[in-house]
Each structure stands twice: as structure tokens, then as C-alpha cells.
Amino acid sequence: MEQNLHNVRIAAAQFNVLEGDKDTNLNRALQFIRTAAAQAAKLVLLPEMFLTGYPLHIPMSELAEPMEGDTLRCIQSMAQEHKIAVVGSYPEWDLHDACSYNTAFFIGEDGRVIGKYRKIHLFDQEKSFVEPGRDICVIDYNGLRYGLIICFDLEFPEPSRALALAGTQILLVVSANMDPYCLLHRVFVRARAIENHMYVAYCNRTGDNKVYSFCGESCLVNPVGELICELGQEE
């Protein structure tokens, strides 16, 4: 188990998400998946809401897709073709609940959806267009145990602690963190790693919309809080 932990190679696909432009964002994500696989990564993280961003001028119900939708099928095919696991979040439309969730998915290298997590802690205006989730998500994959959280979840110790108590070794965080909160996430990524003694892989987006400026700074941190690698605000 420990040998697997030290040999996993994770990529963070940090990029500028265009608000409401699903086609462009999906094509960018697919290109990053190809690039990550070509660089021998075994798992690639996409930013929070990588498919749509947070377009306040378009109802989320018009952008959301079910888990069996075209976007996820496309990413599943890409993951299978390039033998790489893919994690990201997008607006999921739940037919039973008749509402949208900010949902993170974990797709394995065989193209199967292994697990999903609906964001529990919603930030600011997000509460007006998606519903909160209720359950944590632990995923066993290739001999390792992963936990999924999304952006604002990182600022609360309870989700990460619950995942650690469930045996998580690598915490995966997809994010759309913005100014002036960049310092908070730099601190919380390290804090969650240290207090739970686990690796944390954090992928944030870049770019601007009419309300926010997103600050990048994706990183991978080891269990004692040391940076293994990091990106700048615009990389």
C-alpha cells in the first residue's frame, strides 16, 4: 500500500474556465487529459465546475447534465483511451430530485464512474442555483484510498477529518477559489494535510468573470505540509 502511495503520479489541470461555454471548456479539459497521460500521470484533476463555471446570466438548470450525460460519456471515453483516471466537478441534474448539484466525479482508467460527491458546503451565491449534498465520498482505487471534497469544503475541518477517519490517504480537492481568499486556501491545504497526515492534491481554476478573479495556485502537499509542487496564479 505504501509503495503504491509513493508511486502515484497526479496532474492538476489548472486553466481558465469560460463562463457558460461548455464546448470550449470540455475541449480544454480533454486536451489536458491527453497531456497528463502523455506525461505519465495516472490521475488528472480538473477544476471545480470546469464545464460551465458560474455564469450568473444563465440558469444552472439549462447547463446541468445528468450523470449519464454527453459530457461525462466523452470524458469516460477519453479516460479509457488514455488509461488515466479523471476527477472534476460539474453541474449535475438529478432527475429524481429535479434540481442541480455541484458534483465531483471519479472516473477510473477503464472509463467507469467509480464514485461521485455532491458539494456539502455552498459558498455565497452558489446557494441560489445548486442544492447541498449530504454524504462524504471515499474511493478505493488501484490499492489506494481517496477522498473527494470541493473548494469551500476545504475551509471546514470536519469533512477532511471524516475522510481521514475512513482511511483516506490522498485528499483530492477541486476548486474555484477567488481573490481575496487565496491565502486561506494556501493555509487550509497544508493544515488539512498536517492535521490528518495525508497527501492533499488541490486543483484550482484561473481567469475572471463579472464578479470574481480566480487565483490558481494549484498544488500537491505531503502529509507534513511540505509542497511537492505548485503552480502560480496564471499558469
Side-chain angles (χ1 to χ4, degrees):
M1 184 74 77
E2 192 68 15
Q3 184 69 22
N4 288 341
L5 187 63
H6 290 161
N7 285 331
V8 65
R9 190 180 180 104
I10 297 175
Q14 176 175 297
F15 62 92
N16 178 9
V17 177
L18 300 183
E19 309 300 330
D21 190 342
K22 293 171 68 171
D23 289 340
T24 297
N25 293 329
L26 177 58
N27 286 332
R28 288 181 177 179
L30 295 176
Q31 183 56 51
F32 273 108
I33 293 169
R34 294 187 192 96
T35 301
Q39 295 179 0
K42 296 301 181 183
L43 185 152
V44 57
L45 290 176
L46 305 173
E48 178 185 15
M49 296 293 254
F50 77 92
L51 182 64
T52 60
Y54 288 99
L56 303 180
H57 61 290
I58 305 175
M60 193 55 68
S61 59
E62 295 182 11
L63 297 171
E65 298 183 15
M67 283 297 289
E68 301 79 16
D70 292 341
T71 293
L72 221 59
R73 283 198 295 268
C74 185
I75 293 176
Q76 288 177 272
S77 177
M78 184 66 67
Q80 185 177 31
E81 178 184 351
H82 292 279
K83 300 294 184 290
I84 186 171
V86 183
V87 176
S89 102
Y90 77 117
E92 177 202 2
W93 179 256
D94 187 293
L95 294 173
H96 180 267
D97 296 340
C99 65
S100 300
Y101 294 94
N102 182 345
T103 299
F105 56 82
F106 191 114
I107 295 172
E109 63 182 16
D110 61 357
R112 292 187 303 114
V113 177
I114 298 174
K116 72 174 185 178
Y117 163 73
R118 290 170 169 173
K119 186 177 182 181
I120 294 174
H121 298 91
L122 304 180
F123 178 76
D124 195 27
Q125 298 181 57
E126 188 176 23
K127 299 172 185 176
S128 67
F129 52 82
V130 294
E131 295 296 316
R134 293 180 296 273
D135 302 313
I136 64 170
C137 178
V138 176
I139 294 168
D140 292 312
Y141 178 71
N142 284 354
L144 295 173
R145 180 160 286 186
Y146 296 86
L148 296 182
I149 63 173
I150 302 174
C151 200
F152 198 37
D153 291 323
L154 183 67
E155 300 189 23
F156 300 85
E158 293 83 4
S160 299
R161 172 59 69 184
L163 290 167
L165 292 173
T168 294
Q169 298 162 286
I170 303 176
L171 181 65
L172 304 176
V173 188
V174 296
S175 186
N177 188 37
M178 73 290 285
D179 289 327
Y181 308 112
C182 303
L183 175 60
L184 294 180
H185 276 207
R186 286 199 296 270
V187 171
F188 285 132
V189 166
R190 291 164 179 76
R192 301 297 166 251
I194 295 168
E195 66 193 7
N196 296 300
H197 199 68
M198 59 187 177
Y199 287 87
V200 179
Y202 173 80
C203 182
N204 196 29
R205 63 169 284 190
T206 61
D208 304 301
N209 64 18
K210 293 181 179 179
V211 181
Y212 300 120
S213 178
F214 299 92
C215 48
E217 298 182 344
S218 300
C219 62
L220 179 64
V221 176
N222 72 16
V224 293
E226 297 170 336
L227 280 169
I228 297 173
C229 57
E230 64 178 330
L231 292 171
Q233 291 197 357
E234 298 300 329
E235 291 182 82

